[in-house]
Amino acid sequence: MLTALAAVLAMIPLTRSAFFGPMAVAIMGGLIVATVLTLLFLPALYAAWFRVRRDDARAAGQDNAPQLAPTAGGD
């Protein structure tokens, strides 16, 4: 997200150019749309496709925690 934001902010000075302006606006728009799709739409699509529920996600996070083996030192 920070990389996309840095790229969008770096394109702002190019928007005033007659030659590079439209390209900069297109790159900025594409980066913003792609970032939103990746962060919001794709996880929602995954959850809908595989029927992930909030209860299942919470239980999976708690039940799959790695268990530490006891040490031989007795500390």
Side-chain angles (χ1 to χ4, degrees):
M1 190 165 158
L2 289 175
T3 304
L5 179 66
V8 167
L9 292 176
M11 293 290 159
I12 290 174
L14 289 176
T15 58
R16 295 184 181 166
S17 171
F19 186 70
F20 291 114
M23 180 191 68
V25 171
I27 290 172
M28 289 168 58
L31 281 170
I32 291 169
V33 169
T35 302
V36 168
L37 284 175
T38 302
L39 293 178
L40 299 177
F41 179 72
L42 232 53
L45 181 66
Y46 176 86
W49 184 268
F50 291 105
R51 296 184 180 109
V52 176
R53 296 188 187 121
R54 284 187 168 206
D55 299 339
D56 295 341
R58 287 186 191 143
Q62 294 171 356
D63 294 339
N64 293 336
Q67 300 294 325
L68 297 176
T71 58
D75 288 330

